[in-house]
Amino acid sequence: MQQKRYARTKGSIARKRLNQRIARLHQKIARQRYQFHCETANQLLNKADVIFVEDLSISNMTKRCKPKQDENGIFLPNGQAAKSGLNKSFADAGISQFVNQILPFKAERAGKRIVNYLHSRSWVSVGF
């Protein structure tokens, strides 16, 4: 649909209708993601009183790989094609929204506790 949008004339009624269809589709996807996050948060909170969440930097995880060059200046494969698929799945899943907004909100309403920690092996320093 988005490719069809650029084939339509700017300001035309057909383009406005197509923009509305695209907006409805994006809204539907966002609502489905939000519902899944809420259901997942409720399932987690029903199983545990305290939930530990590793404090990950999602923006750093989704950055592009640095290009690698040999001594002749030819670019070597660096795995960016595989990483771009992973980046898309991170963005599509909305991990930051789940961890930073929905899970703490649901935990507060349920009277449960969320503990953020920095590294996967530092849970001892949290006090549990």
Side-chain angles (χ1 to χ4, degrees), residues 71-109:
E71 57 275 351
N72 297 330
I74 298 173
F75 288 101
L76 301 171
N78 62 355
Q80 178 57 43
K83 182 138 179 6
S84 66
L86 184 65
N87 293 347
K88 288 177 188 177
S89 66
F90 276 143
D92 186 44
I95 296 171
S96 294
Q97 179 187 20
F98 176 72
V99 171
N100 297 330
Q101 296 173 0
I102 296 172
L103 192 60
F105 174 74
K106 294 280 187 178
E108 184 180 339
R109 290 186 68 182

Side-chain angles (χ1 to χ4, degrees), residues 3-104:
Q3 290 178 352
K4 286 182 183 179
R5 176 176 27 189
Y6 295 108
R8 309 288 167 125
T9 307
K10 284 188 176 180
S12 68
I13 294 173
R15 187 168 176 155
K16 288 179 185 177
R17 285 184 190 148
L18 194 57
N19 285 339
Q20 289 173 350
R21 284 180 59 196
I22 292 169
R24 277 195 304 266
L25 182 65
H26 285 297
Q27 187 178 41
K28 179 181 176 182
I29 293 168
R31 287 179 177 163
Q32 287 175 341
R33 183 181 305 118
Y34 181 77
Q35 181 182 2
F36 177 74
H37 287 164
C38 289
E39 290 173 359
T40 306
N42 287 335
Q43 288 174 357
L44 286 172
L45 292 169
N46 286 337
K47 291 181 181 179
D49 293 331
V50 179
I51 296 178
F52 292 88
V53 178
E54 188 172 359
D55 193 16
L56 298 173
S57 178
I58 304 296
S59 60
N60 288 342
M61 293 171 61
T62 58
K63 287 184 180 177
R64 290 183 55 90
C65 295
K66 292 183 180 178
K68 298 177 185 175
Q69 289 182 337
D70 62 0
E71 57 275 351
N72 297 330
I74 298 173
F75 288 101
L76 301 171
N78 62 355
Q80 178 57 43
K83 182 138 179 6
S84 66
L86 184 65
N87 293 347
K88 288 177 188 177
S89 66
F90 276 143
D92 186 44
I95 296 171
S96 294
Q97 179 187 20
F98 176 72
V99 171
N100 297 330
Q101 296 173 0
I102 296 172
L103 192 60

